[in-house]
Amino acid sequence: MKLLRRNVLAMVTAFSMALTAPQLFAQTFKMALGDAAGGTQWELGKTFAEKLSDKTDGKAKVDLFPNGQLGTEQDTVNNAAIGLLDFSVLAINNVTPFSPTVGLLTMPYVIQSAEEARLLTQGDIGKELVENTIRDAGVRIIGWAYSGFRVLTNSKRPVKTPEDLKGLVIRVPRNEIMIASYQALGINPTPMAWSETFTGLQQGVVDGQDNPYITISAMKFNEVQKYVTNIRYIFSMEPLIISESIFQEQSPEMQKAILEAGQEATVHSFDFLQNTEDRIKKELAAKGMEISEPADNEKAWIESVTTVVWPKFYSSIGGKEKLDNALKQLGR
Ligand code: MLT
């Protein structure tokens, strides 16, 4: 009788443990990266994959597909939105067309340091932008790569003033704020997908582009570009997104692991930038890139751009007060 009671008790315990045990099933996710391996996108994605594997005892595996293998950065937002792709790491400027309020983060000359980029993305403003992006684009931002200021490169000549830009064909992403920024500086830039940019520069379809030092190095742009100008008009942030429909299909335990891994990978990304950017800049100079500062401490650049571009995009980012609030949070 005693034995029977013990067996029944053991069965009940096993059954209730099964009910409360984390529901983690083995699965393999796909993650698209617009950049080549070795840059800030790769570092964020790789760290996320490692952390997620640790948190799920190896049950969740993430395969990384760099170099735009799974489509242009903007395509990956569409594909994730309809549940055809799990994850993507891409530049925030390529999310803006699907979720206009994140344009706040690409408003020129707003963010002036990596610390400011972290402050905006990790505080209330960042939380609101994540919610808006789920609503507008069907994707959830679960982490951030902090990639550094976008500097201008070109193959023709040193550029120090906006006048020096005249006659240069500069590639920009398909992003209205960035197009308007160059127009305010007096030229009509050429919108081109990121995955086509190296070839465009190599074949001389375009003369220049802007992206952070670590990205320039990962993409080997130094092989087709010589001159760099530290224009610092946009601090590049590259979110890690997950398809919202795929996120919602996960068990609460997997969702928790995904969110935690994203947060931890973000912390790592910030440190990676601090520890890597200077070295990469020196390496690019040693490989022959000529780096200059904008003349006049950037005054001419900043005034031409902010006076025209900011008012033009107030309504798309949700009103002037959104920018005012961001500036206030940054102490300006
Ligand atoms: C772009 O210029 O389209 C992107 O910022 C590139 C990137 O994702 O690194």
Side-chain angles (χ1 to χ4, degrees), residues 165-319:
L165 283 172
K166 301 260 154 62
L168 291 180
V169 184
I170 302 295
R171 173 269 169 183
V172 281
R174 295 183 208 283
N175 173 293
E176 294 302 324
I177 297 177
M178 296 164 84
I179 294 170
S181 298
Y182 279 99
Q183 285 170 341
L185 292 166
I187 62 164
N188 248 328
T190 302
M192 183 182 278
W194 179 231
S195 48
E196 291 160 17
T197 303
F198 183 89
T199 313
L201 293 166
Q202 189 179 40
Q203 297 180 347
V205 178
V206 287
D207 303 318
Q209 62 85 47
D210 64 63
N211 260 290
Y213 279 110
I214 298 176
T215 311
I216 291 167
S217 167
M219 300 298 292
K220 299 194 174 19
F221 279 5
N222 54 296
E223 291 175 6
V224 289
Q225 299 279 270
K226 177 155 178 69
Y227 303 99
V228 183
T229 316
N230 286 326
I231 53 171
R232 293 180 283 254
Y233 79 129
I234 288 174
F235 185 94
S236 178
M237 279 165 280
E238 312 206 64
L240 164 58
I241 59 171
I242 178 171
S243 158
E244 180 61 9
S245 56
I246 290 172
F247 182 74
Q248 291 304 335
E249 282 166 12
Q250 305 304 313
S251 65
E253 292 76 18
M254 183 64 86
Q255 288 185 344
K256 183 167 175 282
I258 287 172
L259 295 175
E260 283 176 6
Q263 196 52 37
E264 290 168 22
T266 301
V267 172
H268 171 79
S269 169
F270 190 84
D271 296 340
F272 177 76
L273 176 67
Q274 313 299 316
N275 299 333
T276 313
E277 193 176 38
D278 271 356
R279 172 175 60 78
I280 296 283
K281 188 174 166 185
K282 285 189 189 116
E283 279 174 18
L284 289 172
K287 286 178 183 163
M289 289 196 101
E290 230 175 72
I291 302 176
S292 31
E293 294 299 325
D296 191 24
N297 197 22
E298 286 190 288
K299 257 219 230 100
W301 296 77
I302 297 174
E303 272 162 27
S304 318
V305 172
T306 54
T307 51
V308 177
V309 178
W310 286 6
K312 210 169 163 196
F313 291 94
Y314 285 148
S315 72
S316 67
I317 61 163

Side-chain angles (χ1 to χ4, degrees), residues 4-25:
L4 181 68
R5 213 168 335 148
R6 217 176 22 224
N7 282 347
V8 171
L9 196 67
M11 274 165 67
V12 169
T13 314
F15 182 65
S16 61
M17 271 174 66
L19 280 183
T20 52
Q23 298 296 300
L24 290 175
F25 304 102

Side-chain angles (χ1 to χ4, degrees), residues 101 104 107 313-324:
T101 60
L104 175 66
M107 284 292 245
F313 291 94
Y314 285 148
S315 72
S316 67
I317 61 163
K320 178 174 183 298
E321 61 277 13
K322 297 289 179 191
L323 182 57
D324 290 345

Side-chain angles (χ1 to χ4, degrees), residues 61-170:
K61 187 169 177 292
V62 184
D63 288 339
L64 273 58
F65 294 85
N67 268 322
Q69 286 174 66
L70 301 185
T72 69
E73 290 197 353
Q74 295 193 7
D75 285 346
T76 67
V77 181
N78 272 327
N79 290 341
I82 56 175
L84 286 181
L85 172 67
D86 306 305
F87 294 99
S88 176
V89 185
L90 72 168
I92 191 68
N93 46 270
N94 287 326
V95 179
T96 318
F98 307 92
S99 182
T101 60
V102 299
L104 175 66
L105 301 175
T106 42
M107 284 292 245
Y109 296 109
V110 170
I111 295 172
Q112 293 179 3
S113 66
E115 193 44 64
E116 290 192 357
R118 179 158 69 174
L119 211 138
L120 282 193
T121 48
Q122 298 302 314
D124 289 345
I125 292 179
K127 284 200 189 95
E128 187 183 331
L129 295 178
V130 169
E131 289 304 319
N132 293 351
T133 305
I134 295 170
R135 181 196 64 204
D136 297 339
V139 297
R140 176 183 292 257
I141 297 171
I142 55 163
W144 296 91
Y146 299 101
S147 299
F149 282 106
R150 296 179 74 105
V151 296
L152 175 68
T153 67
N154 85 88
S155 56
K156 297 277 194 238
R157 54 173 181 264
V159 169
K160 296 191 176 170
T161 66
E163 287 68 45
D164 295 337
L165 283 172
K166 301 260 154 62
L168 291 180
V169 184
I170 302 295

